Amino acid sequence: MRSPSERGSREAEFQNIFDYGYDIGLVRAPPGIYLGHFARELLAEARQNFERERAAIAEGYITPEMVKTLLRISESTLYRMAKAKILVTVFVGGQKRYRRSDLDKILSPS
């Protein structure tokens, strides 16, 4: 059995995940998998997602709406630019984003 301090630290980890706004639901552990192991895997995955999102914010990813506004282009033009690899589409937290550095290359005078 875990000590109260161990239980408290695990509860704090779960609370941190909920505080950052992750949409987490209860899931049933697959058969044959120890629940503690399954919970650790879920926490590790949540941490990876959080770190990926934090890195995306630090590097400067922007939303498609912001790209369309800054470049004054339509959605279909943005789609064509992404398809032609002029702008690289990156998925952060399941949402499309574009690198700020790609946009800066387009906007900078050559």
Side-chain angles (χ1 to χ4, degrees):
M1 184 174 214
R2 291 189 186 101
S3 69
S5 64
E6 286 180 299
R7 282 195 304 268
S9 67
R10 288 181 185 258
E11 289 172 7
E13 286 182 62
F14 280 112
Q15 189 60 46
N16 283 337
I17 290 171
F18 289 119
D19 289 345
Y20 285 108
Y22 288 104
D23 186 17
I24 297 177
L26 294 177
V27 293
R28 184 173 174 208
I33 294 185
Y34 176 63
L35 191 56
H37 177 71
F38 184 66
R40 281 190 292 278
E41 286 181 1
L42 285 176
L43 279 173
E45 184 179 336
R47 282 189 192 109
Q48 287 175 344
N49 289 339
F50 174 73
E51 291 301 324
R52 194 175 316 130
E53 288 181 23
R54 186 174 11 177
I57 291 169
E59 185 168 325
Y61 289 100
I62 57 177
T63 64
E65 291 75 24
M66 289 180 70
V67 173
K68 290 188 298 188
T69 301
L70 290 170
L71 296 178
R72 296 184 182 130
I73 58 174
S74 67
E75 190 162 342
S76 60
T77 302
L78 178 59
Y79 174 77
R80 284 193 302 272
M81 291 175 81
K83 190 174 178 181
K85 305 286 187 209
I86 296 168
L87 290 171
V88 178
T89 304
V90 178
F91 286 89
V92 178
Q95 298 177 351
K96 276 187 184 181
R97 296 290 184 257
Y98 296 94
R99 291 188 296 211
R100 180 70 186 200
S101 58
D102 291 342
L103 189 66
D104 289 341
K105 288 177 190 174
I106 293 169
L107 293 174
S108 66
S110 297

